[in-house]
Amino acid sequence: MPYLGSEEVVKELRRALSNPNVQADRLRYKNYITKVIRYMTQGLDVSALFMDMVKASATVDIVQKKLVYLYMCTYASDKPDLALLAINTLRKDCADPNPMVRGLALRNMCNFRMPGMTEYIEQPIVAGLRDKASYVRRVAVLGCAKMHSLQPNTEIDGTIVNELYALLRDPDPVVVVNCLRALEEILKDEGGVVINKPIAHHLLNRMKDLDSWAQSEVLTFLLRYRPRSDDELFDILSLLDAFLLSSHAHVAVATLRLFLHLASAHPTVQADALLRTSAPLLATCGAASRELRFAGLCHVQQVMRSQPGLFGTHYKRFFCGYSEPSYIKFRKMEILVELVNDENVALVLEELRSYCTDVSPELAQAAIAAIGRIARTYSEKCLDILTGLLGLKQDHITSAVIQTFRDLVWFCPQSTAAVCQTVGACVDSPQDSEGKQALLWLLGEHGDQISSAPYVMEGYIDGLKTELSSAVKMELLTAAVKMFLCRPAETQDMLGRLLHYCIEEESDVCVRDRALLYYRLLQRGVEETRKVVTGPKSDPSMSVLTGRQEEPISEWDSTFNTLGPLAGCDLCPQTAATSAADQPSCRAENELLPESTDVTLSSPDDAEEEISLSLGPPLSHETFEKMWLDLETLHRQTLGFPRPRAAPDTLQAALQLVKIQTLAFTPGDTVPWKAYIYTRSTETLILAELLQGDQQAPGSDESLVVSVKQQPVNQHAIRGFVSVLKSVLQTLNVDTL
């Protein structure tokens, strides 16, 4: 919507710009041009002054030219007919004796977003690539990329590409880096710029002439080059050695990534490079910029996956500052847990204890969880701190401590007695659902060691009608049944009341089904119930107690100095497994899974042979899609029944029990319905698609169709896989009827 009085303003400006007296006064004329630009930036439509502004570009004043060029670029697309006049003016300025004018005109002409611009800017760009002034060459090189972006689907001009490759040896370092950027943009469909031996050596020799950002960019491009011999490799590493200690963090980290990439066959060289780069990384963790600090912490965590003790002597650098944001404090606490040893455990625990009373409940709970992870190695010291925190009688602290106790007795069975004694003496109960579930799990699993367990549980049963969380109700059912198995006389009456309420009055279907399951189990007898309800006990010799094992650098070096560590998608498999095991729901599901990693199932089609399936390492969505498109369909079968109407989580859990992994599936009401799954059999990888509603397959509108691809081919494995899949899906169909 135009401003009120905008027409009068434009008329006044037109009269002033066309006034010979104003044009004769350079300062006054320039002030009116400045006023036009000001109105333009404020949103006023001043496109009617296009002709007057084009005339104003005929001046030797560089500032005035910049203002006029800015105006032209803004309104060129609105005035395509008049823009030709502007283009002619700019082409004329591209031949100006002043290199600043030539570069300025060429840059603005490349900014015009109009159809058919390529024919006007191609000749000035080619001339600019051979210009004597380095500033003009810089602009012309970037103009090549802009010209390509105007018509990305046209054939690449080999002449321009050859000119850019030749300019990689330009004496101006900025031109060299601009050439790399332009070639990367123009050749992106062909894999980007090619770095061969002469180019790589030339770039390495020019590194000292570049600024810090250009250095980090060149180092990234050098990742594409692979030395042909060890002598060449060590010559390159010698040239890069000085940049490991660069005062610019991005240069040091980019150099380290290149070091790790080139020296992948020399672990000793990699370890030495990590040691030398520890100082710049630590300096980054203390930078003034919060964002840079966070990036440094994320990369420190990556390095610690292969060198856990590298920053051990600098643990105090990771103590949290009062004014630091929470996302930095969380990262620092994660690092502190990894750096704990016999010498610093007391100081680290004291520091973490001070965070437990932070005004932020999330930060306080994270600190308590960190103490709990340290307690897996230093149980006695941490239990004293956690017990003292219960005396603060704050809901979020009490809940976090109870959850930590639950995890601790699972990972460290030797601390069960002390935890049970503390829980039995605790007066306050947690108020949030996670805390309630943790307390109920402790009462059910170790109720024989907690004297007040039945009475605490009775309080939860009496208040069941006011409980809103279904997860708490189901945990209460499980805990009550376990309590009944070890203390039947004290629990029989309350268990009966609990089952009666959940079966007769509870509206949640999941809770009601859980209660019916336990009721029918108890009808079969106590021993049968004990076999089903009592899960496996934790192993005191679990490897998690000894800390994280060192990983090969090759596991993470490909994502180093990228956004991967910052986004959290570079979590190592061991940490992911530990984090999943810390969750109560995950532990409950793991108790139901067999201990072995492979499952052997008989194939009905071939009773004499067996098919062995295993999960193996997970496949990413990108890898699955690429393999699915590359491989041919080896087997396609209509199963003769519709897809199960079970919940997605139920379908995924049922398939995982037989070692079939679900990658993705469409929502239940989508037509056609699809699901992509995969598994492994001996040395073969099996990929499959489940489809319902395929119009191309006769009679498959309501029946489920499975398509199987495999690498390498093994027909017996395919038959066995389809048989196992069919039996699981049929079972789910029967259960959901």
Side-chain angles (χ1 to χ4, degrees):
M1 179 178 178
Y3 287 97
L4 294 176
S6 58
E7 295 182 0
E8 289 74 11
V9 172
V10 172
K11 289 179 181 179
E12 180 184 351
L13 291 172
R14 180 184 288 113
R15 285 195 298 267
L17 292 174
S18 59
N19 190 337
N21 296 327
V22 174
Q23 294 176 359
D25 189 344
R26 290 187 178 181
L27 182 59
R28 191 178 173 190
Y29 191 46
K30 184 177 177 180
N31 288 338
Y32 275 107
I33 294 174
T34 306
K35 189 178 293 186
V36 172
I37 301 300
R38 183 168 67 248
Y39 283 127
M40 181 185 73
T41 56
Q42 291 175 354
L44 187 67
D45 184 10
V46 290
S47 59
L49 303 175
F50 199 90
M51 283 297 300
D52 299 291
M53 293 295 287
V54 170
K55 294 177 182 178
S57 63
T59 179
V60 295
D61 189 345
I62 297 294
V63 176
Q64 183 173 321
K65 277 186 177 291
K66 285 185 176 181
L67 294 174
V68 175
Y69 289 164
L70 174 61
Y71 176 91
M72 290 179 180
C73 293
T74 303
Y75 289 113
S77 57
D78 296 336
K79 302 282 186 179
D81 297 334
L82 298 177
L84 293 176
L85 297 175
I87 293 173
N88 292 331
T89 302
L90 291 171
R91 285 173 62 92
K92 180 181 177 181
D93 287 344
C94 286
D96 194 274
N98 189 342
M100 289 297 295
V101 175
R102 296 199 301 272
L104 186 62
L106 182 57
R107 185 178 68 180
N108 285 275
M109 189 160 52
C110 293
N111 287 336
F112 278 23
R113 293 292 181 262
M114 294 171 53
M117 275 298 299
T118 305
E119 59 180 301
Y120 296 106
I121 63 175
E122 184 174 4
Q123 190 275 330
I125 286 177
V126 173
L129 293 175
R130 302 163 184 169
D131 199 283
K132 296 181 179 179
S134 60
Y135 173 69
V136 181
R137 295 198 302 274
R138 297 177 188 178
V139 174
V141 168
L142 295 180
C144 294
K146 292 181 180 179
M147 182 173 63
H148 177 73
S149 66
L150 291 175
Q151 295 179 335
N153 297 325
T154 58
E155 185 178 353
I156 298 174
D157 189 347
T159 305
I160 297 293
V161 173
N162 292 335
E163 288 276 358
L164 292 175
Y165 271 115
L167 283 173
L168 287 175
R169 298 188 175 276
D170 194 274
D172 185 73
V174 180
V175 174
V176 175
V177 178
N178 285 359
C179 282
L180 291 173
R181 294 167 178 159
L183 286 169
E184 183 70 13
E185 178 67 23
I186 295 172
L187 302 174
K188 61 182 178 181
D189 293 336
E190 301 179 5
V193 59
V194 177
I195 306 296
N196 54 25
K197 182 176 180 179
I199 293 177
H201 287 199
H202 172 70
L203 293 175
L204 286 167
N205 291 325
R206 295 293 302 275
M207 281 285 292
K208 294 182 179 179
D209 302 330
L210 307 176
D211 60 22
S212 61
W213 290 109
Q215 287 176 350
S216 63
E217 200 155 359
V218 168
L219 290 167
T220 303
F221 280 113
L222 287 172
L223 289 169
R224 304 179 183 181
Y225 178 68
R226 200 71 181 177
R228 300 177 182 176
S229 64
D230 283 347
D231 292 338
E232 183 186 1
L233 169 65
F234 287 107
D235 287 342
I236 292 175
L237 296 181
S238 299
L239 289 173
L240 295 173
D241 189 66
F243 297 99
L244 286 174
L245 300 177
S246 173
S247 57
H248 301 283
H250 52 279
V251 176
V253 173
T255 307
L256 176 59
R257 183 186 181 189
L258 182 57
F259 246 87
L260 299 178
H261 174 73
L262 295 177
S264 57
H266 304 276
T268 306
V269 177
Q270 290 181 321
D272 183 63
L274 290 173
L275 178 62
R276 297 198 60 189
T277 321
S278 60
L281 283 174
L282 283 172
T284 306
C285 295
S289 169
R290 294 177 174 181
E291 291 76 13
L292 187 58
R293 225 180 308 164
F294 179 74
L297 292 170
C298 294
H299 284 80
V300 164
Q301 281 186 296
Q302 262 197 324
V303 172
M304 288 175 59
R305 288 170 55 179
S306 297
Q307 300 282 341
L310 185 61
F311 302 95
T313 57
H314 305 283
Y315 67 94
K316 290 186 178 180
R317 301 285 293 271
F318 302 102
F319 285 178
C320 300
Y322 176 78
S323 60
E324 287 182 327
S326 57
Y327 60 86
I328 290 181
K329 292 181 179 179
F330 289 144
R331 287 283 179 171
K332 285 190 172 182
M333 284 191 288
E334 292 174 6
I335 295 175
L336 281 175
V337 171
E338 302 292 337
L339 294 179
V340 169
N341 54 41
D342 296 339
E343 298 177 357
N344 60 25
V345 60
L347 289 175
V348 172
L349 287 175
E350 187 65 28
E351 183 71 16
L352 290 174
R353 181 167 63 175
S354 66
Y355 305 154
C356 295
T357 55
D358 194 270
V359 293
S360 170
E362 293 80 9
L363 184 63
Q365 291 177 335
I368 294 171
I371 294 176
R373 290 181 60 191
I374 297 175
R376 300 173 189 177
T377 308
Y378 302 95
S379 309
E380 186 177 351
K381 297 179 181 179
C382 297
L383 280 173
D384 293 339
I385 295 176
L386 294 172
T387 304
L389 292 173
L390 288 176
L392 298 177
K393 298 183 178 180
Q394 297 187 25
D395 291 341
H396 67 281
I397 293 180
T398 301
S399 174
V401 172
I402 295 297
Q403 293 177 59
T404 303
F405 280 157
R406 174 202 59 198
D407 298 336
L408 186 59
V409 298
W410 177 261
F411 288 108
C412 300
Q414 62 269 24
S415 63
T416 301
V419 169
C420 291
Q421 182 180 357
T422 304
V423 172
C426 181
V427 178
D428 296 330
S429 298
Q431 301 301 316
D432 63 319
S433 61
E434 291 81 4
K436 290 178 182 178
Q437 292 177 64
L439 179 58
L440 290 170
W441 186 89
L442 286 169
L443 296 177
E445 197 71 24
H446 304 286
D448 55 337
Q449 302 183 46
I450 303 175
S451 58
S452 61
Y455 312 106
V456 176
M457 189 173 295
E458 188 172 17
Y460 282 102
I461 294 175
D462 293 339
L464 192 60
K465 293 183 179 180
T466 60
E467 180 59 53
L468 301 177
S469 173
S470 300
V472 173
K473 294 177 182 178
M474 289 192 288
E475 190 67 51
L476 179 59
L477 280 167
T478 304
V481 173
K482 290 182 178 179
M483 180 76 69
F484 173 73
L485 296 177
C486 63
R487 301 172 72 169
E490 300 168 278
T491 317
Q492 182 176 1
D493 179 65
M494 68 177 76
L495 177 60
R497 288 188 285 116
L498 175 62
L499 290 174
H500 180 271
Y501 173 83
C502 292
I503 294 174
E504 299 296 336
E505 302 181 36
E506 178 59 44
S507 59
D508 190 288
V509 178
C510 295
V511 177
R512 181 177 176 275
D513 288 349
R514 179 74 65 91
L516 283 171
L517 170 66
Y518 289 143
Y519 177 73
R520 291 165 182 167
L521 275 175
L522 290 168
Q523 285 181 323
R524 298 290 299 272
V526 174
E527 292 304 321
E528 290 293 329
T529 305
R530 193 186 305 276
K531 291 179 183 178
V532 175
V533 174
T534 305
K537 300 296 182 181
S538 59
D539 185 1
S541 62
M542 293 175 69
S543 61
V544 71
L545 297 177
T546 60
R548 182 189 299 175
Q549 297 180 352
E550 295 184 8
E551 296 181 27
I553 295 175
S554 58
E555 291 289 332
W556 52 265
D557 65 344
S558 60
T559 59
F560 194 71
N561 195 31
T562 66
L563 293 178
L566 277 66
C569 64
D570 192 54
L571 192 66
C572 66
Q574 193 171 8
T575 305
T578 304
S579 302
D582 288 347
Q583 303 300 324
S585 60
C586 293
R587 182 182 300 122
E589 292 177 4
N590 290 338
E591 291 177 358
L592 302 177
L593 295 177
E595 295 181 0
S596 63
T597 57
D598 293 339
V599 58
T600 302
L601 300 163
S602 298
S603 173
D605 299 333
D606 193 348
E608 297 180 357
E609 295 182 298
E610 294 183 338
I611 174 70
S612 178
L613 302 181
S614 62
L615 291 177
L619 284 181
S620 65
H621 290 73
E622 293 79 11
T623 304
F624 186 99
E625 181 180 6
K626 185 177 184 302
M627 295 182 66
W628 184 262
L629 294 175
D630 293 342
L631 298 176
E632 295 183 358
T633 301
L634 302 176
H635 182 81
R636 184 179 177 89
Q637 178 179 340
T638 301
L639 300 182
F641 52 83
R643 68 176 180 85
R645 298 296 176 179
D649 293 340
T650 304
L651 175 61
Q652 188 170 1
L655 291 174
Q656 194 164 15
L657 283 174
V658 294
K659 304 304 177 185
I660 298 177
Q661 188 68 40
T662 306
L663 185 76
F665 45 80
T666 55
D669 55 352
T670 305
V671 179
W673 181 86
K674 292 183 180 181
Y676 291 97
I677 56 180
Y678 66 92
T679 186
R680 288 175 171 81
S681 174
T682 58
E683 298 180 357
T684 65
L685 176 64
I686 302 175
L687 312 179
E689 177 193 57
L690 296 174
L691 175 64
Q692 179 174 311
D694 185 12
Q695 302 298 329
Q696 298 179 356
S700 64
D701 291 345
E702 295 297 330
S703 296
L704 202 58
V705 179
V706 58
S707 302
V708 183
K709 300 183 179 183
Q710 189 184 39
Q711 185 183 25
V713 178
N714 185 335
Q715 292 294 338
H716 167 63
I718 293 179
R719 292 196 304 270
F721 164 76
V722 173
S723 176
V724 172
L725 178 65
K726 187 175 181 179
S727 63
V728 172
L729 296 177
Q730 282 180 324
T731 304
L732 286 175
N733 266 329
V734 173
D735 291 343
T736 53
L737 289 178

